[in-house]
């Protein structure tokens, strides 16, 4: 039945409406998002050009599989470019024995439907993030916690993968799927229309769109009012000055052209977001051992690290696009940054998070302490993440030999 539905929808995909992070259960129209290839260095490394993937021991005469991949982000988004590039690499690594049919923009499953859709096998693979499912993946939401010590999407991806390996509660809450990638998206700066935020008092009275319970707590702590609705509605709400700004991450700013209706972008990290590429467990289990070995190899850190690298690169080229459109992208003053990241602001949110875990029937303090320990252990390896500018097209690792 799933395959019939997919083939039917393929005939009407040109009429599909697209949604992005924060979307609802139906596909929605984004404000004329441009192809990622037009907004970055994708021209230098087209999506069809996968990294070298030799070295996999695959039977050329084994059975073949075509898998359905769903993503709520638009077909023109960097997120869709990432998932298609990753899947193309898997196709190459399996000598074409695993191919993929893609349904971006919520054309098969909406943002809040993807995880259950893959679980019940309405699709085989999805990309999604925890901000859509507040309370369902509470331990994974540590990545979303402001002031947790994570400083880049690459570091967040590294932390999330370690959490999965070392904290049983993470594996348990993700246990209905086979994780191909556990990663962090880029952080969300605070973009505003009309008012430039320069002091702590400037937050007072602002209505800021944000995503997820954890990030909302931080906006409240700063003195503003968090507002939650789909990213697909942000452009209109900011244009009409219904809200004063938003905290969408860099890749969504590009996908939905959110640089157009704003005036200022305060480059102050609000939080990162835990994201994942998930596979139906039955789909995985039905693969022959040689193809499972390929998937396992991609899932052993390569796919998550690749995502972290891609999402971090948005900080550069999306900020450039904002400036080209007249947006003032600026760093907070030392005083504002110190206050926004101070214990006064952060500590109550961390205490709330521990209780959040307790309320989910978990040992909040023990899990929190272990997450912090992992962050502290990983931090030195990521001290140079921002030493030089880069683009996602620069990623050229070989999954067959990748060691992280």
């Amino acid at each position: 039945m799933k395959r019939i539905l997919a083939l039917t929808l393929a005939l009407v995909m040109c009429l599909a409406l697209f949604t992005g992070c924060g979307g609802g259960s139906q596909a929605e129209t984004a404000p004329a998002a441009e192809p990622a290839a037009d907004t970055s260095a994708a021209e230098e490394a087209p999506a069809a050009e996968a990294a070298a993937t030799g070295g996999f021991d695959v039977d050329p005469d084994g059975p073949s599989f075509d898998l359905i991949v769903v993503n709520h982000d638009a077909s023109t988004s960097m997120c869709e470019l990432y998932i298609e590039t990753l899947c193309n690499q898997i196709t190459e690594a399996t000598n074409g024995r695993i191919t993929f049919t893609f349904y971006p923009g919520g054309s098969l499953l909406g943002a809040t439907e993807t995880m259950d859709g893959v679980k019940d096998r309405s699709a085989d693979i999805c990309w999604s993030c925890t901000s859509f499912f507040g309370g369902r993946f509470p331990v994974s939401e540590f990545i979303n916690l402001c002031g947790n010590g994570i400083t880049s999407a690459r570091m967040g991806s590294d932390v999330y993968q370690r959490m999965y390996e070392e904290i049983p509660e993470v594996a348990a809450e993700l246990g209905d799927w086979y994780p191909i990638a556990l990663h962090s998206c880029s952080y969300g700066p605070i973009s505003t229309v009309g008012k430039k935020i320069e002091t702590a008092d400037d937050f007072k009275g602002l209505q800021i769109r944000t995503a997820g319970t954890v990030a909302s707590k931080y906006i409240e702590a700063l003195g503003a009012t968090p507002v939650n609705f789909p990213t697909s509605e942000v452009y209109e709400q900011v244009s009409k000055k219904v809200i004063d700004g938003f905290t969408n991450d860099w890749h969504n700013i590009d996908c939905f052209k959110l640089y157009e209706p704003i005036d200022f972008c305060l480059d102050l990290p609000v939080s990162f977001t835990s994201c994942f590429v998930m596979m139906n467990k039955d789909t995985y289990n039905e693969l022959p051992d040689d193809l499972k070995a390929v998937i396992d190899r991609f899932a052993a850190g390569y796919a998550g690290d690749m995502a972290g690298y891609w999402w971090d690169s948005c900080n550069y080229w999306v900020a450039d696009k904002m400036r080209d459109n007249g947006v003032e992208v600026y760093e907070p003053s030392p005083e504002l940054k110190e206050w926004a990241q101070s214990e006064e602001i952060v500590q109550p949110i961390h205490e709330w998070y521990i209780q959040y875990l307790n309320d989910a029937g978990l040992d909040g303090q023990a899990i929190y302490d272990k997450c912090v320990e992992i962050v502290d252990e990983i931090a030195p390896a990521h001290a140079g993440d921002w030493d030089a500018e880069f683009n996602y097209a620069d990623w050229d690792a070989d999954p067959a030999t990748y060691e992280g």
Side-chain angles (χ1 to χ4, degrees):
M1 186 67 184
K2 171 185 68 176
R3 306 293 174 181
I4 295 173
L5 174 62
L7 290 172
T8 302
L9 284 172
L11 298 175
V12 297
M13 278 201 61
C14 63
L15 301 177
L17 300 175
F18 299 124
T19 187
C21 287
S25 61
Q26 299 181 5
E28 298 164 302
T29 303
E34 293 184 18
D38 294 333
T39 60
S40 70
E43 296 90 344
E44 302 170 13
E49 296 180 11
T53 53
F56 290 99
D57 185 12
V58 174
D59 179 1
D61 299 319
S64 298
F65 302 82
D66 185 70
L67 306 183
I68 293 175
V69 182
V70 294
N71 174 24
H72 63 272
D73 261 6
S75 61
T76 53
S77 68
M78 192 203 71
C79 177
E80 180 63 17
L81 181 62
Y82 161 75
I83 194 68
E84 291 191 18
T85 301
L86 180 68
C87 289
N88 288 341
Q89 292 182 3
I90 294 174
T91 295
E92 182 175 340
T94 61
N95 290 322
R97 284 180 52 203
I98 298 180
T99 56
F100 302 89
T101 300
F102 301 97
Y103 292 92
S107 55
L108 182 59
L109 294 170
T112 59
E113 300 170 328
T114 54
M115 294 296 286
D116 285 331
V118 169
K119 181 181 175 181
D120 68 22
R121 215 170 183 183
S122 298
D124 297 297
I125 295 173
C126 73
W127 180 90
S128 193
C129 51
T130 57
S131 58
F132 299 131
F133 309 98
R136 187 169 182 180
F137 307 104
V139 187
S140 296
E141 288 185 89
F142 174 82
I143 302 297
N144 310 15
L145 190 64
C146 63
N148 59 9
I150 294 173
T151 57
S152 68
R154 282 159 291 172
M155 182 178 176
S157 300
D158 200 356
V159 169
Y160 196 10
Q161 292 169 68
R162 281 277 300 275
M163 287 169 58
Y164 180 76
E165 295 167 2
E166 299 180 18
I167 301 176
E169 291 83 357
V170 177
E173 67 186 19
L174 302 178
D176 289 329
W177 304 268
Y178 178 91
I180 294 177
L182 298 176
H183 76 93
S184 167
C185 74
S186 56
Y187 65 82
I190 302 175
S191 301
T192 55
V193 58
K195 183 174 183 179
K196 182 177 181 181
I197 299 172
E198 297 182 276
T199 69
D201 286 341
D202 290 335
F203 283 101
K204 295 178 181 178
L206 295 183
Q207 293 196 71
I208 304 294
R209 184 272 175 188
T210 191
T213 305
V214 177
S216 294
K217 290 292 181 182
Y218 184 64
I219 295 300
E220 287 179 353
L222 295 177
T225 300
V227 182
N228 289 277
F229 51 78
T231 297
S232 53
E233 299 176 16
V234 171
Y235 190 101
E236 180 179 7
Q237 296 297 311
V238 174
S239 296
K240 293 180 177 179
K241 295 183 171 58
V242 175
I243 58 174
D244 302 293
F246 53 84
T247 62
N248 286 81
D249 80 309
W250 297 99
H251 103 275
N252 259 333
I253 291 171
D254 174 65
C255 178
F256 286 90
K257 284 192 168 183
L258 298 181
Y259 45 77
E260 290 187 345
I262 61 171
D263 301 309
F264 306 101
C265 177
L266 173 61
D267 194 359
L268 174 71
V270 171
S271 68
F272 296 84
T273 301
S274 43
C275 306
F276 26 58
V277 177
M278 292 297 196
M279 187 175 192
N280 176 275
K281 293 182 80 170
D282 290 335
T283 298
Y284 171 80
N285 290 329
E286 290 169 7
L287 295 175
D289 288 344
D290 59 338
L291 299 188
K292 283 183 183 175
V294 174
I295 299 296
D296 291 346
R297 184 64 187 168
F298 276 79
Y302 175 87
D305 289 352
M306 175 183 171
Y309 186 94
W310 276 49
W311 261 260
D312 271 344
S313 76
C314 296
N315 292 39
Y316 297 112
W317 58 269
V318 178
D320 287 343
K321 174 168 282 191
M322 295 173 84
R323 295 185 185 96
D324 290 343
N325 280 268
V327 177
E328 181 181 346
V329 182
Y330 64 103
E331 299 283 340
S333 67
E335 295 78 16
L336 180 59
K337 185 174 182 179
E338 181 180 0
W339 170 79
Q341 298 177 346
S342 67
E343 185 172 325
E344 170 192 355
I345 297 295
V346 171
Q347 187 60 31
I349 304 172
H350 286 223
E351 292 173 356
W352 167 86
Y353 178 71
I354 292 169
Q355 186 59 48
Y356 178 61
L357 296 178
N358 290 338
D359 292 342
L362 304 170
D363 187 340
Q365 188 66 58
I367 291 172
Y368 172 84
D369 290 344
K370 180 61 178 177
C371 291
V372 171
E373 177 185 317
I374 291 172
V375 169
D376 290 343
E377 290 175 359
I378 285 175
H382 292 275
D385 278 357
W386 302 110
D387 286 353
E389 186 170 338
F390 60 95
N391 189 277
Y392 62 83
D394 300 332
W395 176 267
D396 60 357
D398 183 348
T401 59
Y402 186 74
E403 298 296 337

